[in-house]
């Protein structure tokens, strides 16, 4: 990675003479499919939920690293619309993780100037999960560092259907004509309307697919895969993914 020193802007202490290593051509938005928690636990003879717990702790480490590297947005796939098919005990456990995570780490995230947002069908989450996340969103709303964007009860196909429904409604209301619908119209109705598309998408655990994650938004995203299971995915490997990204030529269909 081509590293040089810059003032560390993503922290509230940034006005001091604190400097942090950052690099040129950093991906502004990184999305991660945090896969392999179950296998991590199985390898150790532990229940699957132990892998999710360890995965949750790793979220904190990677959030910290992303913030230090001055990444602007980190979108983490925490729970898909398809994950409801899992055994109820596992679903309930995963739904409690954001509550635990915020209980443990919210003060630190506030200090680190991180802003918490979500994408997905938020209203359908369990009441306690919603309440904990709402509190965190409110408490961090004015923060100006890394946006930690949690994809929870998120599915890309449903996101597009939802967007199309809203557009049809607006056409019916006479706000614009069908012929006026563009890529921007659709983008503007996605959960991600307020954030730029991911530059880099990482998937851990050796699986090579997108699993209904940011399908529209990742049209020109650089993909990066590793066999490492999410709980073992380290800051060093995160930097390696960024380093590889920096060597890629993005042509967006041009030459
Ligand atoms: C996929 O691994 C992982 C999940 C479905 C849950 C991910 C959730 C976390 C890491 C915690 C998120 C918490 C916050 C606060 C963002 P898997 O269970 O499919 O693994 P496997 O393929 O090995 O079975």
């Amino acid at each position: 990675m081509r590293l040089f020193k810059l003032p560390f802007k993503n922290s509230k202490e940034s006005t001091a003479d604190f400097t942090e290593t950052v690099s040129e051509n950093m991906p502004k938005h990184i999305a991660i499919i945090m896969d392999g928690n179950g296998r991590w636990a199985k390898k150790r003879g532990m229940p699957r939920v132990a892998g999710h717990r360890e995965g949750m702790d790793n979220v904190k480490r990677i959030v910290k690293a992303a913030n230090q590297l001055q990444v602007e947005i980190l979108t983490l796939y925490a729970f898909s619309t398809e994950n409801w098919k899992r055994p109820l005990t596992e679903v309930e456990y995963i739904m409690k993780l954001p509550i635990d995570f915020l209980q443990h780490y919210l003060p630190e995230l506030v200090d680190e100037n991180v802003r918490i947002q979500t994408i997905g069908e938020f209203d359908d989450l369990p009441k306690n999960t919603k309440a904990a996340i709402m509190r965190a969103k409110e408490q961090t709303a004015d923060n100006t560092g890394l946006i930690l964007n949690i994809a929870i009860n998120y599915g890309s196909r449903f996101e597009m259907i939802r967007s199309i429904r809203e557009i049809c409604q607006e056409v019916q209301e006479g706000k614009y004509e069908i012929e006026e619908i563009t890529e921007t119209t659709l983008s503007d109705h996605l959960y991600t309307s307020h954030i730029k598309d991911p530059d880099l998408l990482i998937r851990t655990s050796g699986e090579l697919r997108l699993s209904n994650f940011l399908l529209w938004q990742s049209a020109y995203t650089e993909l990066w895969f590793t066999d490492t299971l999410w709980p073992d995915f380290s800051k060093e490997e995160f930097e390696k993914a960024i380093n590889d990204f920096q060597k890629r030529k993005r042509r967006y269909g041009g030459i």
Side-chain angles (χ1 to χ4, degrees), residues 106-121:
L106 185 58
E108 230 178 294
L109 294 171
V110 170
D111 273 357
E112 288 169 7
N113 203 15
V114 172
R115 180 170 181 188
I116 293 168
Q117 299 186 340
T118 59
I119 52 172
E121 282 301 284

Side-chain angles (χ1 to χ4, degrees), residues 11 18 26 44 47 69 85 104 111 117 121 137 139 197-198 225-226 244 253:
S11 159
F18 183 70
M26 278 296 292
R44 289 161 178 79
L69 291 163
K85 290 186 233 157
H104 276 90
D111 273 357
Q117 299 186 340
E121 282 301 284
K137 283 183 184 179
Q139 275 190 45
D197 290 342
F225 298 98
T226 173
D244 287 351

Side-chain angles (χ1 to χ4, degrees), residues 34-40 48 52 55-56 59 76-79 83 86 90 94 97-98 101 150 205 207 229-230:
M34 308 179 288
D35 199 8
N37 294 344
R39 276 163 284 169
W40 184 94
R48 289 179 56 80
H52 293 315
M56 180 195 88
V59 166
L76 300 180
Y77 205 6
F79 193 86
N83 287 151
R86 294 187 178 209
E90 184 171 339
I94 298 176
L97 286 179
F101 178 80
I150 304 171
S205 92
E207 307 295 344
L229 305 175
W230 171 251

Side-chain angles (χ1 to χ4, degrees), residues 47-161:
R48 289 179 56 80
V49 292
H52 293 315
R53 155 72 45 177
E54 198 66 25
M56 180 195 88
D57 288 334
N58 202 33
V59 166
K60 180 61 185 58
R61 289 190 280 272
I62 298 302
V63 167
K64 198 176 171 83
N67 200 25
Q68 286 179 345
L69 291 163
Q70 298 194 8
V71 171
E72 290 175 17
I73 306 160
L74 181 69
T75 298
L76 300 180
Y77 205 6
F79 193 86
S80 75
T81 44
E82 289 70 37
N83 287 151
W84 295 107
K85 290 186 233 157
R86 294 187 178 209
L88 183 61
T89 47
E90 184 171 339
V91 169
E92 284 176 347
Y93 192 89
I94 298 176
M95 283 297 159
K96 287 202 182 101
L97 286 179
I99 306 174
D100 282 7
F101 178 80
L102 294 166
Q103 246 163 21
H104 276 90
Y105 299 124
L106 185 58
E108 230 178 294
L109 294 171
V110 170
D111 273 357
E112 288 169 7
N113 203 15
V114 172
R115 180 170 181 188
I116 293 168
Q117 299 186 340
T118 59
I119 52 172
E121 282 301 284
F122 191 73
D123 285 347
D124 296 340
L125 295 176
K127 210 167 114 228
N128 294 345
T129 310
K130 257 196 306 200
I133 298 175
M134 275 308 292
R135 243 192 333 271
K137 283 183 184 179
E138 281 160 18
Q139 275 190 45
T140 61
D142 295 329
N143 286 355
T144 54
L146 175 79
I147 293 178
L148 169 57
N149 187 32
I150 304 171
I152 185 162
N153 195 18
Y154 174 86
S156 200
R157 288 183 172 181
F158 180 73
E159 179 185 35
M160 285 190 250
I161 289 169

